[in-house]
């Protein structure tokens, strides 16, 4: 009888030990899954055809990465999940060979939905007013007209033409562009546009879309005026 009472607790101890190991492995796996989102800070950037090369800092590490064309500024925080490392990569346009560079998918200044334990600092990008002069689209309005009478354009479809001064692609399933036409109403001179069309910095484009007021996406990204789901007018 004594042997039976000794064997039973020993068996339970083995079972609990096995369960504990499995739980520990799961916790480690979950912890590893939570670190798949990379948060980096821009140190330097260079533009080439179709790509932006960025020297970034992630914790104590510093490295080069490249993604589709986007405007970034020193000190800006970016996020990405997947990347492919290339060793001894030669950029013919830059006439430079990188010992190591990471080509990144979906580089963004907003944390992806899969991010856990990462909070974005409210850092809506700072946009400077450029010296441009763009004529309105046929049947369209200027940014000055839009911003000065924003409430009258709420939920209305409008045409607006401007120069693309900043682009972020693939954020929340859309491409985000900032346009300016040289006009302004007070301190408002730059319009954010969401679109499924691909545009490039420097393009002068006419968009048609719906005006949405006071849109808040969280992470410090709120817009008094937004041109949403716009399409490029050829």
């Amino acid at each position: 009888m004594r042997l039976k009472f000794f064997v039973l607790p020993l068996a339970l101890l083995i079972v609990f030990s096995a369960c504990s190991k499995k739980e520990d492995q799961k916790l480690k796996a979950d912890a590893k899954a939570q670190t798949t989102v990379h948060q980096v800070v821009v140190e330097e950037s260079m533009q080439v055809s179709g790509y932006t090369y960025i020297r970034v800092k992630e914790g104590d590490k510093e490295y080069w990465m490249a993604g589709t064309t986007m405007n970034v500024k020193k000190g800006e925080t970016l996020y990405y999940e997947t990347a492919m490392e290339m060793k001894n990569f030669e950029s013919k346009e830059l006439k430079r060979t990188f010992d190591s560079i990471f080509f990144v998918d979906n580089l963004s200044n907003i944390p992806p939905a899969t991010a856990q334990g990462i909070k974005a600092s409210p850092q809506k990008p700072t946009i400077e007013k450029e010296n441009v002069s763009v004529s309105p689209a046929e049947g369209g309005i200027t940014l000055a007209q839009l911003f000065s009478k924003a409430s009258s354009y709420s939920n209305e479809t409008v045409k607006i033409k401007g120069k693309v001064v900043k682009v972020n692609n693939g954020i929340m399933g859309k491409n985000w562009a900032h346009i300016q036409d040289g006009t302004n109403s007070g301190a408002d001179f730059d319009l954010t546009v969401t679109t499924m069309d691909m545009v490039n910095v420097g393009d002068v484009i006419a968009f048609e879309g719906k005006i949405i007021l006071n849109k808040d996406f969280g992470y410090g990204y709120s817009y008094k005026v937004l041109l949403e789901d716009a399409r490029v007018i050829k």
Side-chain angles (χ1 to χ4, degrees):
M1 291 294 290
R2 290 183 180 177
L3 179 60
K4 289 182 180 179
F5 280 110
F6 174 74
V7 172
L8 181 58
L10 180 60
L12 289 174
L13 181 61
I14 292 171
V15 171
F16 287 141
S17 177
C19 291
S20 179
K21 286 181 180 178
K22 287 182 180 179
E23 185 175 357
D24 185 54
Q25 289 173 351
K26 184 179 184 301
L27 288 172
K28 288 181 179 178
D30 288 345
K32 185 177 180 181
Q34 290 178 18
T35 60
T36 56
V37 176
H38 296 266
Q39 179 176 335
V40 300
V41 178
V42 176
E43 296 288 321
E44 175 186 358
S45 65
M46 296 182 289
Q47 302 285 357
V48 298
S49 301
Y51 282 94
T52 300
Y53 286 77
I54 312 170
R55 181 168 58 87
V56 300
K57 192 169 185 179
E58 182 177 5
D60 295 330
K61 296 189 301 181
E62 195 172 282
Y63 54 91
W64 281 94
M65 61 197 306
T68 53
T69 301
M70 63 185 297
N71 274 358
V72 295
K73 293 185 177 181
K74 184 175 180 180
E76 187 174 1
T77 301
L78 302 175
Y79 306 86
Y80 72 92
E81 292 182 88
T82 58
M84 180 178 67
E85 184 180 15
M86 298 285 286
K87 298 282 191 180
N88 299 315
F89 177 81
E90 180 184 2
S91 170
K92 293 183 179 179
E93 287 190 69
L94 294 176
K95 297 180 180 179
R96 174 174 178 172
T97 298
F98 295 88
D99 294 334
S100 170
I101 189 168
F102 291 85
F103 284 86
V104 180
D105 290 329
N106 298 323
L107 186 61
S108 168
N109 49 22
I110 299 177
T114 54
Q116 299 182 37
I118 293 180
K119 294 183 178 180
S121 302
Q123 52 165 4
K124 189 174 176 182
T126 301
I127 305 294
E128 297 180 358
K129 193 174 191 299
E130 296 198 3
N131 184 23
V132 298
S133 180
V134 179
S135 300
E138 184 176 351
I141 60 174
T142 66
L143 293 187
Q145 290 173 314
L146 170 62
F147 289 127
S148 63
K149 298 180 180 179
S151 59
S152 65
Y153 291 107
S154 179
N155 294 314
E156 295 291 329
T157 298
V158 300
K159 295 178 182 179
I160 301 180
K161 187 177 181 181
K163 178 184 176 182
V164 178
V165 298
K166 182 179 178 69
V167 177
N168 285 320
N169 294 321
I171 299 177
M172 292 186 286
K174 301 178 182 180
N175 301 322
W176 298 64
H178 289 258
I179 62 171
Q180 299 179 20
D181 64 2
T183 69
N184 64 281
S185 177
D188 296 317
F189 56 83
D190 182 277
L191 177 66
T192 302
V193 181
T194 67
T195 179
M196 297 302 292
D197 295 329
M198 296 295 294
V199 299
N200 298 305
V201 172
D203 291 347
V204 176
I205 294 176
F207 287 99
E208 183 175 43
K210 182 178 288 188
I211 295 297
I212 304 296
L213 303 183
N214 302 314
K215 186 85 170 189
D216 190 349
F217 293 95
Y219 303 114
Y221 287 78
S222 60
Y223 299 88
K224 291 191 302 182
V225 183
L226 179 72
L227 185 63
E228 197 166 53
D229 297 327
R231 64 182 182 88
V232 174
I233 304 172
K234 301 296 182 181

